[in-house]
Structure formats: structure tokens, C-alpha cells
Amino acid sequence: MSKDRTPRFKNAGVREIMKSLFQIPLSTHTILVYPNTHTLREIYTNYIDNSDHKESELFVILPFYETIESVKNNLMYNYMSIQNYEYMRHKGSLVIQDANTIFEKDILSSTDYVSQRYVEPPNIVDFLSKVSLHSKKINVNTISLWIDTGVFYNFGNGIDSLMNYERASPRMVANYPIKQICLYHQKDFENRLNKFEQIKTIDRHQKTLVMVDKGR
């Protein structure tokens, strides 16, 4: 009996988000505000399930509210996901790293993310360089970079560091074939950022995708 490979969306809003994600061009800085981890899982697993992307993109995700193992398990939630996951893992076109590990040194040092570099990794500038080199090695010309910004609130100076990162991000990725998606949990976006910071954050992105729980 054949397997059903048709994408299934528990939330109609996810379908619209997916349409927009698949149309994002290279070098676009995107903000995605999501209502909860369950919805985010549905979004990135369906993105991976799209066969047009698995062969042409290096998919990089830096989760914060989930562990690396949790993301891996979510990416294998059905038959099609398992096939794509195994293909991407074998090809080397799937990278899952803990956001806290990549960003901790940068946030604690209050870096401006552009002028400051470190002798020893990890830090985001070093990470982007390595990811870019890896994409060339596996002959993939697009990097889809998903960063959960919840990591910034794990530190006392996190909001200032987040504002610095969003300001510097276009210059950081300018020389790389990256389309960057900054993930903002709805509770973080609404409760941790004031109105001015919310507006400033949206303005620093070229594309805005919002899927929120209006009942909150």
C-alpha cells in the first residue's frame, strides 16, 4: 500500500506561512513570529518535506526552545520526513546546532557582531563562515538559516544584544548565499520587547511573517 505524502496542516495559517516561505528569494532577511513550539515544528518539518528544497538548499536551524534531538525527532515524524531527513543527513545538507552554544560568547561580550572576532569558536561570524564553506563543498548554492531568537532572553543583556544582531545581520550575511529567518516566539515578542523595540525589529527585516494566537 502506498504512503500518503500529501502535506497535512493542523492549522490553516501554517499553509499560508508555507506559501510565503517557499517564495522567499536569496539574501532576504525575514522575521517569523510564531505562537508556540508545536506550530513552529509543523512549519519547519513541512519545509523540509518539500522535495524542491531538499536538493537545492543547505538547511541550518539553531533551536533554543527545543533540543537538537527533539528537532531531529520532529523531522522524522512521518514516512516522507524520514526519507528527506536521511537524504539530507547523508548529503550533509542538514545542520542542527544549539543556538545557545553558537551565540553565548557573542551575547556575553556585548559584541556588535561585525567588528569583533574571536580567536576561538564558537561564535556566529565563525559559524556562518564554516557553513558557507560547507555549502560549497556539497555543491549547494542556497543556505536557509533559521535562528530562534529566544536564546537572547537567556542573558541579562540579551535584548540589547538582539538589537545589535538584527542591526548587523544584513552586513554579516552580505557575502554569503543566505536567506535568514529569525524566529520569534509570540510571548517573547509581545512581552519582552516594548512597542518601540517591536517596531524597530520588524523594520530591520525585509519580509515579515506573523502567525499568532489571537486568544492570548
Side-chain angles (χ1 to χ4, degrees):
M1 183 172 61
S2 62
K3 301 287 185 178
D4 181 6
R5 299 185 181 186
T6 303
R8 300 183 183 277
F9 301 99
K10 297 178 181 178
N11 191 314
V14 173
R15 185 184 302 276
E16 298 306 312
I17 291 291
M18 298 309 301
K19 289 180 181 178
S20 297
L21 284 172
F22 291 143
Q23 294 173 0
I24 293 175
L26 196 61
S27 302
T28 301
H29 190 199
T30 300
I31 178 174
L32 169 58
V33 182
Y34 65 93
N36 51 61
T37 54
H38 296 292
T39 301
L40 180 60
R41 289 168 186 166
E42 188 175 0
I43 291 172
Y44 68 69
T45 52
N46 276 286
Y47 190 91
I48 287 290
D49 278 354
N50 185 278
S51 59
D52 292 338
H53 289 259
K54 74 172 185 178
E55 296 186 15
S56 61
E57 290 187 5
L58 170 59
F59 182 80
V60 182
I61 184 168
L62 308 181
F64 176 69
Y65 291 116
E66 292 189 88
T67 64
I68 293 175
E69 285 303 314
S70 175
V71 173
K72 288 180 179 178
N73 290 336
N74 294 330
L75 292 176
M76 295 188 290
Y77 80 115
N78 65 20
Y79 175 80
M80 194 61 186
S81 290
I82 292 173
Q83 300 301 304
N84 289 349
Y85 174 82
E86 291 298 335
Y87 172 88
M88 295 174 74
R89 187 178 65 85
H90 178 75
K91 182 180 180 181
S93 60
L94 175 64
V95 176
I96 309 170
Q97 291 288 327
D98 176 58
N100 197 76
T101 300
I102 302 299
F103 279 95
E104 181 178 16
K105 187 181 294 184
D106 287 323
I107 298 173
L108 289 176
S109 68
S110 299
T111 179
D112 62 4
Y113 293 96
V114 176
S115 62
Q116 186 172 347
R117 288 176 176 267
Y118 298 100
V119 176
E120 297 179 1
N123 63 84
I124 189 61
V125 171
D126 177 78
F127 179 74
L128 292 176
S129 177
K130 289 181 177 179
V131 165
S132 179
L133 289 174
H134 179 64
S135 70
K136 294 176 182 178
K137 182 179 179 180
I138 64 174
N139 198 30
V140 170
N141 56 14
T142 300
I143 301 169
S144 182
L145 175 64
W146 299 47
I147 299 174
D148 197 318
T149 59
V151 63
F152 289 90
Y153 310 112
N154 201 33
F155 301 88
N157 63 328
I159 293 180
D160 288 339
S161 187
L162 174 59
M163 295 297 107
N164 287 339
Y165 177 76
E166 293 291 23
R167 179 172 57 250
S169 186
R171 287 178 290 166
M172 291 170 57
V173 302
N175 297 322
Y176 303 123
I178 290 177
K179 52 182 180 181
Q180 180 176 199
I181 301 168
C182 298
L183 307 171
Y184 281 76
H185 194 293
Q186 179 183 355
K187 289 184 179 180
D188 289 336
F189 188 80
E190 294 179 347
N191 300 332
R192 295 181 183 270
L193 301 181
N194 60 41
K195 293 299 181 182
F196 176 74
E197 290 165 339
Q198 291 176 18
I199 294 172
K200 183 186 294 186
T201 299
I202 290 176
D203 285 347
R204 285 176 175 160
H205 293 82
Q206 297 161 299
K207 188 172 184 63
T208 300
L209 301 176
V210 178
M211 184 179 173
V212 297
D213 180 1
K214 295 182 180 179
R216 287 190 60 248

